[in-house]
Amino acid sequence: EDQVTQSPEALRLQEGESSSLNCSYTVSGLRGLFWYRQDPGKGPEFLFTLYSAGEEKEKERLKATLTKKESFLHITAPKPEDSATYLCAVHSTGANSKLTFGKGITLSVRP
Amino acid sequence: NAGVMQNPRHLVRRRGQEARLRCSPVKGHSHVYWYRQLPEEGLKFMVYLQKENIIDESGMPKERFSAEFPKEGPSILRIQQVVRGDSAAYFCASSHTQVGLLSGNTIYFGEGSWLTVV
């Protein structure tokens, strides 16, 4: 069974204090690893898809990286508007189109 | 969220009533997914549908829950005889093709329907 574990559960940063969010996964075969952002009372907003170990993608202050066992979402010089819950999900071979999600990491950035 | 429309956004039902949640996918998308998010839990897959067909319902409870995606009109998630444990946020998502068939294809989520059972 596919498993996704995200850590830490919650992270509080000062504005400008860079950090990383971790997503560890166990799958039979990885087709894709997804990162989403979710604001309170809203639906998940797509950020990145990574397909193979060594791949990296960037968007503004966010950079996602992938290894064979985990993915990191690096946040450089965060701003208060980056405060949200960040969700990691995997799509594995044999899973049809089902995504398996972690519980998310709640990020709070203080001004 | 890229055009996936869900309604109602909030729904209150008494125990034993029926709840119907509607989802219109992004224009041009023919693949629809339903996920449930319980408090303090991650998003859990429920069902994957393509026009008029259920492809994978492995995450759907065996009783009281059903889903459809007719040739015309929105996808419907129907919960009969609701119980307090059904209170959750239900998210619909859509994609252009089956995820994984094409690199770059992804799943876009709607804003969710929050069901409260009293």
Side-chain angles (χ1 to χ4, degrees):
Chain A
E1 186 177 328
D2 301 336
Q3 290 190 335
V4 177
T5 303
Q6 293 188 248
S7 61
E9 288 186 11
L11 183 62
R12 298 186 70 180
L13 299 174
Q14 197 69 37
E15 184 172 4
E17 179 188 2
S18 301
S19 189
S20 296
L21 312 181
N22 176 261
C23 171
S24 298
Y25 64 91
T26 305
V27 296
S28 52
L30 183 69
R31 277 188 169 171
L33 184 140
F34 298 76
W35 281 97
Y36 287 87
R37 168 191 170 133
Q38 186 175 25
D39 292 297
K42 302 284 188 179
E45 176 187 348
F46 172 73
L47 293 175
F48 305 107
T49 309
L50 302 168
Y51 294 97
S52 58
E55 189 175 359
E56 299 183 353
K57 287 191 177 174
E58 286 189 67
K59 179 181 178 181
E60 295 180 355
R61 294 179 293 282
L62 301 176
K63 178 180 174 180
T65 61
L66 181 66
T67 72
K68 289 186 177 180
K69 293 183 178 181
E70 56 192 354
S71 176
F72 290 94
L73 185 65
H74 306 278
I75 302 178
T76 302
K79 298 182 177 182
E81 53 261 42
D82 295 321
S83 298
T85 297
Y86 291 85
L87 305 174
C88 171
V90 295
H91 177 222
S92 68
T93 56
N96 242 328
S97 282
K98 167 187 171 183
L99 297 186
T100 299
F101 280 84
K103 291 186 177 182
I105 298 171
T106 301
L107 174 66
S108 175
V109 181
R110 301 187 300 273
Chain B
N1 276 335
V4 178
M5 304 299 294
Q6 290 188 247
N7 67 82
R9 289 295 317 281
H10 298 276
L11 182 64
V12 179
R13 284 288 178 266
R14 295 186 184 279
R15 281 177 293 172
Q17 290 185 320
E18 178 179 289
R20 281 191 178 225
L21 310 179
R22 288 175 290 277
C23 169
S24 295
V26 172
K27 189 175 181 181
H29 285 190
S30 59
H31 298 253
V32 165
Y33 317 84
W34 286 93
Y35 284 77
R36 177 165 64 175
Q37 189 173 43
L38 293 165
E40 309 304 322
E41 294 287 331
L43 283 157
K44 302 291 186 188
F45 169 80
M46 298 182 75
V47 62
Y48 162 36
L49 309 106
Q50 206 177 343
K51 279 290 187 182
E52 300 184 272
N53 292 305
I54 296 175
I55 308 299
D56 181 353
E57 55 182 349
S58 59
M60 281 276 263
K62 293 288 186 283
E63 298 178 350
R64 303 187 298 107
F65 285 73
S66 63
E68 62 177 11
F69 188 17
K71 187 177 180 181
E72 301 291 337
S75 175
I76 305 287
L77 179 67
R78 181 183 179 201
I79 311 172
Q80 295 178 289
Q81 299 176 335
V82 297
V83 300
R84 288 226 172 104
D86 296 333
S87 295
Y90 292 83
F91 290 95
C92 173
S94 74
S95 64
H96 179 61
T97 61
Q98 184 177 348
V99 172
L101 288 184
L102 289 174
S103 176
N105 186 38
T106 194
I107 295 178
Y108 295 97
F109 283 80
E111 295 286 74
S113 290
W114 265 257
L115 172 65
T116 301
V117 180
V118 298

